[in-house]
Amino acid sequence: MPTGHWPGTLSAMRTQKAQKAKILILYTGGTFGMDAEPLSVPELSPKELENRLLKRVPELLQLADCQVKIQMNCDSAHLGPREWVEIARTIESQWERFDGVVVLHGTDTLAYTASALSFLLRPCRKPVVLTGAQRPLAAIRSDARRNLISAVELAAYGLGRPGSRLDQVSVFFNETLFQGNRVRKRSAVDFAGFESPKAPALARVGTSIQILQDSAKSTSRAKSSKTLPRLQPQFSSRVAMIHLTPGFPAAAVEKLLPDLDGLIFVAFPSGTAPTHLPELHRLLASARVLGLPIMVVTEGMGATGSEYRAGKEMLEAGCLWSGAMTPECAYVKASLLLGQERGREVLKKWWSFELANEGVSIR
Ligand code: ASP
């Protein structure tokens, strides 16, 4: 499928007599559907919520054949592995009925859910677009309405284009479509609330919709669906992710190790760690004795983890490098692999393998 401009709404409406895309809109909560004054999760039945959505954005029904399902109605701070699996199951049970799926989600943990869905929905057979809003749909100056409309248009890209580059879990916000497992929330106030600092955008929405360079190379997608493991939708709840700091309290953290299945360190931007601290080496030695995997992730761009001695020492001590994975994605991937039977073996085998183009091998 060539990269190019797609006029979006106008052409979709021109051709809609012939065929309208069928879109499942899965509502999970967040600011998007909250009451505006005061900002709060409304006590509404699923039917009332659905009516509210269709009343505020009636064009949805013109744009596509949309069906709204209220999966849950929570601040996304209260969503986790159980809800990720529920959302994935709903989508999987509906693949055949829809051309694309839009998931409305709170922004705070959207990056985690997008990562989880990218692993759970392999191979992803339709566009699954997550979006949310910084201001509720009920507010006058809100981004909810346009985020929803564009997300529906992007999900409709699945109509008649099997195997398209948008057949993946993605996140739409403001005017950009990102690969889902590469996003991070960057602002609680800007309408451009998300970024994917280590992966190119998938599409831009302005006066037209421009599908950009594919970040998921078709070869790696094909390989993923053929050779990679089938994972059970089970997550370990004994994975901790901790920021390394100057003067890191390694002795205190070492005490946590027996209660964990895995530990992720968020290292300094070049992938370095305070390896001059003997307590940190003691912690790493204890982890080796316990067989506890430690992964190192960095928020910095371009780090390899081994350029500096202060990074290399972590890898030499047995820590696993996370490539260009975001911390959110690394956390979800570790929890998923460690949630499998013989999780530590599974993690060691698959940590450095691209399961969903999550960026392990890209610097
Ligand atoms: N706390 C909200 C949530 O993540 C924030 C939002 O939706 O923007 O559910």
Side-chain angles (χ1 to χ4, degrees):
M1 194 73 65
T3 299
H5 284 267
W6 171 40
T9 313
L10 289 176
S11 75
M13 287 170 71
R14 257 184 243 124
T15 57
Q16 78 185 220
K17 268 188 205 129
Q19 212 180 0
K20 255 198 220 174
K22 293 192 180 62
I23 304 297
L24 173 63
I25 300 176
L26 217 50
Y27 184 82
T28 69
T31 299
F32 190 100
M34 285 187 190
D35 287 332
E37 300 289 342
L39 194 60
S40 56
V41 178
E43 299 273 331
L44 293 177
S45 69
K47 194 72 215 155
E48 285 168 326
L49 257 175
E50 180 184 335
N51 289 343
R52 192 185 257 204
L53 205 68
L54 293 176
K55 192 172 149 220
R56 298 246 176 216
V57 198
E59 311 86 318
L60 275 184
L61 297 174
Q62 278 176 277
L63 203 57
D65 185 354
C66 294
Q67 190 175 315
V68 181
K69 177 172 165 50
I70 311 295
Q71 180 91 50
M72 56 203 70
N73 185 17
C74 310
D75 189 304
S76 75
H78 295 171
L79 302 187
R82 199 180 57 184
E83 289 77 19
W84 303 337
V85 173
E86 273 178 35
I87 297 168
R89 288 214 165 111
T90 301
I91 294 172
E92 268 173 343
S93 70
Q94 303 287 333
W95 277 141
E96 302 309 329
R97 296 186 52 216
F98 294 95
D99 299 301
V101 180
V102 171
V103 181
L104 297 177
H105 198 286
T107 57
D108 283 337
T109 68
L110 189 146
Y112 292 89
T113 303
S115 295
L117 293 180
S118 78
F119 294 123
L120 294 173
L121 295 175
R122 288 175 311 124
C124 191
R125 294 160 52 194
K126 305 274 165 81
V128 175
V129 185
L130 281 81
T131 192
Q134 300 285 40
R135 297 268 294 148
L137 189 57
I140 293 174
R141 194 169 36 75
S142 166
D143 53 336
R145 194 184 145 75
R146 65 195 190 102
N147 281 351
L148 174 58
I149 288 172
S150 296
V152 167
E153 288 190 274
L154 288 158
Y157 195 76
L159 173 64
R161 294 183 183 90
S164 98
R165 67 193 56 195
L166 297 198
D167 281 5
Q168 57 177 300
V169 176
S170 58
V171 170
F172 179 77
F173 231 82
N174 195 39
E175 49 190 31
T176 309
L177 184 74
F178 302 102
Q179 192 186 312
N181 56 17
R182 310 295 284 273
V183 298
R184 310 202 73 195
K185 181 170 171 173
R186 59 169 286 280
S187 168
V189 291
D190 291 354
F191 285 158
F194 284 83
E195 62 182 357
S196 72
K198 299 187 202 174
L202 297 175
R204 293 220 189 274
V205 176
T207 52
S208 64
I209 294 176
Q210 191 187 4
I211 309 295
L212 303 169
Q213 186 64 38
D214 192 8
S215 73
K217 293 187 195 80
S218 51
T219 47
S220 81
R221 273 215 299 262
K223 194 174 152 215
S224 298
S225 53
K226 261 195 222 137
T227 58
L228 295 177
R230 281 227 54 82
L231 298 168
Q232 296 304 312
Q234 293 161 193
F235 293 83
S236 165
S237 54
R238 293 168 24 115
V239 175
M241 183 157 74
I242 300 180
H243 266 266
L244 290 168
T245 54
F248 184 67
V253 174
E254 188 186 340
K255 296 199 181 106
L256 302 175
L257 300 187
D259 293 323
L260 296 178
D261 290 336
L263 174 61
I264 302 171
F265 278 139
V266 183
F268 300 132
S270 311
T272 52
T275 49
H276 62 300
L277 300 174
E279 296 85 349
L280 182 59
H281 288 279
R282 278 200 284 278
L283 179 157
L284 297 177
S286 296
R288 276 199 306 278
V289 170
L290 292 166
L292 181 92
I294 298 188
M295 284 64 72
V296 179
V297 67
T298 176
E299 295 168 310
M301 305 281 289
T304 64
S306 54
E307 277 152 327
Y308 295 90
R309 202 173 134 210
K312 216 189 263 178
E313 280 175 342
M314 296 294 279
L315 306 185
E316 284 167 0
C319 296
L320 300 170
W321 178 242
S322 305
M325 263 190 271
T326 61
E328 293 87 344
C329 182
Y331 174 78
V332 170
K333 183 174 179 180
S335 307
L336 177 62
L337 296 177
L338 289 166
Q340 306 301 302
E341 210 174 307
R342 293 206 293 278
R344 289 178 181 185
E345 281 169 43
V346 176
L347 180 129
K348 280 178 190 147
K349 182 162 177 197
W350 296 108
W351 184 255
S352 304
F353 248 83
E354 298 273 7
L355 298 179
N357 199 35
E358 66 272 27
V360 286
S361 56
I362 303 163
R363 288 170 182 176

